Amino acid sequence: MFKHLKQSSTRTGLLLLAGAIGGLLTGNSELVTVTIGENGAQVGGAIPAVIGLGVGIWDTLRNEKQ
């Protein structure tokens, strides 16, 4: 699984997985939250965390064509 660690998609996938797991562990009780401020919009909640997990798993396991 980690033989592709040199690929950027694998590193990106692992970062997405870590972020999604961290978000779920901190207790996202709302499905979706959107905060709009001076720096733009921030999206959070359980649904974006699960989507992030899915994309992270896919990005980690896929094999880039050289």
Side-chain angles (χ1 to χ4, degrees):
M1 177 173 140
F2 293 105
K3 64 183 177 181
H4 305 292
L5 197 55
K6 294 180 181 179
Q7 297 178 1
S8 64
S9 66
T10 302
R11 291 189 298 266
T12 303
L14 290 173
L15 289 173
L16 279 169
L17 286 172
I21 290 170
L24 290 173
L25 290 177
T26 57
N28 283 321
S29 60
E30 292 127 359
L31 291 178
V32 177
T33 59
V34 178
T35 306
I36 299 175
E38 294 179 12
N39 296 330
Q42 296 181 347
V43 179
I47 293 174
V50 171
I51 292 171
L53 274 172
V55 171
I57 290 170
W58 178 79
D59 219 10
T60 300
L61 298 178
R62 75 183 179 110
N63 189 15
E64 292 181 10
K65 294 181 181 180
Q66 298 286 333

